[in-house]
Amino acid sequence: MSPAAISSVAFAFVFGGAFFGTALRAAVPKHNLTPDSKEAVKLGMALVATMAALVLGLLIASAKSSFDTQTNELTEMSSKIVLLDRILAHYGPETMEARDILRSSVVRILDRMASRSPAGPFQSDASSNASEVLFDKIQGLSPKNDAQRSIRPRH
């Protein structure tokens, strides 16, 4: 259900409740409309309003927590991709193909994330195939000098 439809239904219920209350007031006996009963209704409405505010506050806190978690995960993943790219760049020119595969995979994933497609960015066969090819390319590197030997065991 869309947010507009949910809002419309909520508005209809609130508006209908106001009309029902106005019509019900005419039917209620006068002895039930004392200041004490009005005060009790005000206290009940204050309780409902407080509970609604509490629920909305918890909903907003939960949404913010989820957003912060996703932001942190994206930042961490980005930093690891940049680190991998820099390590491959320092390894030498023979990693150019692996770096190109890494870049194209990242661009494809970011495009999918920006389009907000229902399929998750890591669920496609193309992404998993590209990651396997990238892994195979990195595993296939053979160190030719001491600098490359020092980089190879770490990653």
Side-chain angles (χ1 to χ4, degrees), residues 21-98:
T22 303
L24 190 61
R25 181 181 176 141
V28 173
K30 292 290 183 195
H31 69 275
N32 288 338
L33 298 175
T34 63
D36 288 338
S37 62
K38 287 181 181 179
E39 191 63 32
V41 169
K42 284 182 185 178
L43 286 173
M45 290 305 299
L47 178 65
V48 168
T50 302
M51 294 302 286
L54 178 65
V55 167
L56 285 174
L58 290 172
L59 179 68
I60 290 171
S62 174
K64 182 179 181 339
S65 173
S66 175
F67 176 78
D68 288 344
T69 300
Q70 288 178 351
T71 301
N72 290 339
E73 288 174 355
L74 184 63
T75 302
E76 183 180 343
M77 183 174 52
S78 300
S79 66
K80 287 180 179 180
I81 289 171
V82 169
L83 178 63
L84 176 60
D85 183 60
R86 297 312 315 148
I87 288 172
L88 289 173
H90 286 294
Y91 193 85
E94 59 269 17
T95 62
M96 211 49 190
E97 189 177 354

Side-chain angles (χ1 to χ4, degrees), residues 92-144:
E94 59 269 17
T95 62
M96 211 49 190
E97 189 177 354
R99 292 179 69 204
D100 289 341
I101 293 170
L102 178 64
R103 281 193 200 103
S104 65
S105 296
V106 169
V107 167
R108 190 173 33 256
I109 289 169
L110 288 176
D111 286 344
R112 202 167 309 133
M113 287 173 67
S115 70
R116 296 182 183 187
S117 68
F122 302 109
Q123 293 176 356
S124 89
D125 291 335
S127 292
S128 64
N129 187 29
S131 63
E132 287 179 23
V133 170
L134 178 63
F135 181 77
D136 292 341
K137 292 283 183 193
I138 292 173
Q139 287 293 53
L141 294 173
S142 58
K144 294 181 175 76

